[in-house]
């Protein structure tokens, strides 16, 4: 049995990704004003950040809004977890069960709004019988604000196998 566990903000921030150093944070305004005399850069930024002034959820102050999580297992329908509702209710739902040793991928769907997000990470913990048996951290990357739903697919993982003995 594998299930997603609650992860603290501090744990995510302290998780190191080898070989990755996120760029310095800059506001959208700073990025747009930089190199204002270079017409080709202005066009490039407009293409990259076009529609950045549009905000999918104006009442929500967050920059990253996770919409849903999908678990993809070959030969089985995708398991979709809608994260737009009350997270306390979602946490109390039946755990997700994946057969031992099966390869699976986790796909996260999210919106980015207001500013460019740099160094976005995905931290996953797998628990079996209440014991954390696997913990992975993946660098998702940097994303600009868009009205469209964006996604990230984590590398394939193998569900834990073997017995867990409690003493």
């Amino acid at each position: 049995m594998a299930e997603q566990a609650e992860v603290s903000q501090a744990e995510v921030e302290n998780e190191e990704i080898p070989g990755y150093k996120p760029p310095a944070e800059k506001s959208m305004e700073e990025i747009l004003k930089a190199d204002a005399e270079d017409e080709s850069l202005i066009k490039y930024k407009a293409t990259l950040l076009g529609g950045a002034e549009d905000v999918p959820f104006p009442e929500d102050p967050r920059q990253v809004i996770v919409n849903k999580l999908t678990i993809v297992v070959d030969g089985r329908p995708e398991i979709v977890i809608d994260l737009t509702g009350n997270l306390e209710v979602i946490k109390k739902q039946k755990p997700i069960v994946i057969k031992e040793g099966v390869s699976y991928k986790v796909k996260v769907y999210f919106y980015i709004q207001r500013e460019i997000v740099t160094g976005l990470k995905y931290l996953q913990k797998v628990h079996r019988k209440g014991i954390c048996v696997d913990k992975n951290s993946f660098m998702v990357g940097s994303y600009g604000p868009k009205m469209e739903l964006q996604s990230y697919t984590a590398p394939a993982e193998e569900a834990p196998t073997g017995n867990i003995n409690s003493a």
Side-chain angles (χ1 to χ4, degrees):
M1 170 169 61
E3 64 183 67
Q4 300 300 102
E6 186 174 333
V7 177
S8 72
Q9 181 68 26
E11 190 173 5
V12 171
E13 289 172 1
N14 293 331
E15 191 69 28
E16 292 284 324
I17 305 292
Y20 180 81
K21 185 177 189 269
E25 286 190 36
K26 288 186 178 183
S27 71
M28 290 285 290
E29 191 174 319
E30 289 174 308
I31 292 169
L32 292 172
K33 284 184 180 177
D35 304 312
E37 67 284 345
D38 188 334
E39 193 173 319
S40 64
L41 267 177
I42 292 170
K43 287 180 182 178
Y44 177 69
K45 289 176 189 178
T47 303
L48 210 59
L49 304 172
E53 62 278 347
D54 297 328
V55 178
F57 304 97
E59 69 288 345
D60 194 329
R62 297 176 294 172
Q63 287 182 299
V64 179
I65 300 171
V66 181
N67 180 271
K68 65 181 173 179
L69 186 101
T70 303
I71 299 175
V72 182
V73 180
D74 287 336
R76 178 175 168 177
E78 292 184 351
I79 302 167
V80 179
I81 303 166
D82 181 4
L83 300 173
T84 58
N86 183 339
L87 294 181
E88 292 303 316
V89 172
I90 294 168
K91 284 188 218 177
K92 293 177 183 175
Q93 290 177 351
K94 186 178 170 186
I96 298 165
V97 178
I98 300 173
K99 189 176 177 180
E100 289 184 3
V102 168
S103 179
Y104 67 94
K105 292 181 184 179
V106 177
K107 192 167 188 178
V108 182
Y109 294 87
F110 54 91
Y111 290 96
I112 303 292
Q113 60 181 16
R114 295 190 179 85
E115 294 287 336
I116 294 173
V117 175
T118 59
L120 189 61
K121 297 180 201 173
Y122 169 66
L123 181 64
Q124 172 181 295
K125 285 185 171 183
V126 177
H127 285 234
R128 185 169 172 185
K129 296 186 179 181
I131 298 169
C132 182
V133 294
D134 192 20
K135 177 178 155 186
N136 291 302
S137 183
F138 302 102
M139 181 51 57
V140 176
S142 299
Y143 291 83
K146 288 186 182 177
M147 289 295 287
E148 298 86 31
L149 194 60
Q150 300 183 61
S151 68
Y152 167 75
T153 303
E157 291 285 317
E158 189 174 293
T161 60
N163 292 328
I164 294 183
N165 299 323
S166 54

